């Protein structure tokens, strides 16, 4: 039984819905924002690296990158060592929309925690830090340990 009853996911989903409404003039999906965010933090990332990171097919990543380039959020450039590969870079417009998303998220979470006392926040934040660091560390290892544990506990039926 999940002791959190998926509350973290539910809060995250509400935050995403708020951000989407607050920034409705951009008409970007959450996946678009994720790509912009990743490109800002990893300038020059290739479409193939994004494909692996997001576990999406090549054409999906290429279409999304082309769309974001056409809208002026990203710039695709040929890789200096292999002209067939494309590297992605954020534009000023992309940086501005990413910052607007961060501002909206910050506003939402400040509102969400506004009724908590300083003592409650002091208790909550270290726990959230531990959970987030555990999640981040496993993600950076491409969920290898978690996927192994999941497979052991959820065997697939053979087709």
């Amino acid at each position: 039984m999940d002791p959190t009853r998926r509350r973290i996911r539910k809060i995250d989903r509400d935050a995403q819905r708020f951000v989407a409404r607050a920034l409705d003039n951009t008409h970007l999906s959450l996946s678009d924002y994720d790509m912009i965010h990743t490109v800002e933090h990893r300038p020059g990332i290739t479409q193939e690296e994004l494909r692996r990171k997001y576990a999406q097919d090549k054409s999906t990543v290429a279409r999304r990158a082309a769309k974001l380039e056409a809208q002026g959020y990203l710039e695709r450039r040929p890789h200096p060592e292999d002209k067939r590969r494309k590297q992605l870079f954020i534009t000023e417009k992309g940086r501005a929309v990413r910052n607007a998303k961060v501002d909206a998220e910050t506003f939402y979470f400040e509102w969400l925690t506004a009724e908590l006392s300083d003592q409650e926040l002091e208790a909550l934040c270290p726990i959230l830090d531990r959970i987030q660091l555990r999640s981040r560390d496993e993600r950076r290892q491409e969920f290898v340990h978690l996927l192994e544990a999941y497979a052991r506990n959820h065997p697939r039926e053979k087709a």
Side-chain angles (χ1 to χ4, degrees):
M1 178 65 150
D2 171 16
T4 70
R5 295 200 324 232
R6 299 181 52 237
R7 288 180 182 99
I8 295 167
R9 178 66 189 118
K10 291 172 185 179
I11 292 167
D12 178 59
R13 198 172 22 230
D14 289 343
Q16 290 176 6
R17 287 178 179 146
F18 169 76
V19 168
R21 286 188 178 188
L23 303 178
D24 70 344
N25 60 332
T26 65
H27 305 291
L28 295 174
S29 69
L30 294 173
S31 296
D32 294 336
Y33 284 117
D34 284 345
M35 184 178 280
I36 291 167
H37 176 85
T38 299
V39 171
E40 181 177 38
H41 288 283
R42 300 213 24 223
I45 191 170
T46 65
Q47 291 180 185
E48 175 59 23
E49 290 169 317
L50 284 173
R51 185 198 69 73
R52 284 193 310 268
K53 178 178 176 55
Y54 295 128
Q56 294 178 336
D57 62 83
K58 186 177 180 179
S59 61
T60 299
V61 171
R63 274 193 310 272
R64 178 165 286 120
K67 175 187 125 177
L68 292 172
E69 181 181 41
Q71 293 174 331
Y73 297 109
L74 298 179
E75 181 181 341
R76 292 186 302 172
R77 299 180 201 154
H79 193 283
E81 297 166 10
D82 182 352
K83 303 296 182 201
R84 295 170 298 174
R85 294 171 50 199
K86 301 287 186 196
Q87 289 183 294
L88 299 166
F89 298 89
I90 195 164
T91 64
E92 285 305 313
K93 182 178 179 181
R95 192 166 285 109
V97 77
R98 190 233 173 238
N99 290 342
K101 179 182 184 279
V102 169
D103 289 344
E105 289 171 340
T106 299
F107 183 84
Y108 179 81
F109 286 110
E110 286 174 352
W111 170 84
L112 192 64
T113 59
E115 294 182 0
L116 298 179
S117 69
D118 289 344
Q119 185 178 17
E120 288 170 322
L121 283 172
E122 286 177 22
L124 174 66
C125 290
I127 294 167
L128 289 174
D129 286 343
R130 283 180 54 202
I131 292 169
Q132 189 271 323
L133 289 173
R134 184 169 190 206
S135 177
R136 183 203 65 197
D137 290 346
E138 187 65 17
R139 173 182 43 86
R140 286 182 175 171
Q141 295 177 53
E142 298 185 2
F143 302 105
V144 66
H145 306 104
L146 195 55
L147 288 168
E148 289 170 1
Y150 185 81
R152 280 192 307 274
N153 291 302
H154 300 85
R156 291 185 178 181
E157 292 184 25
K158 294 186 180 179

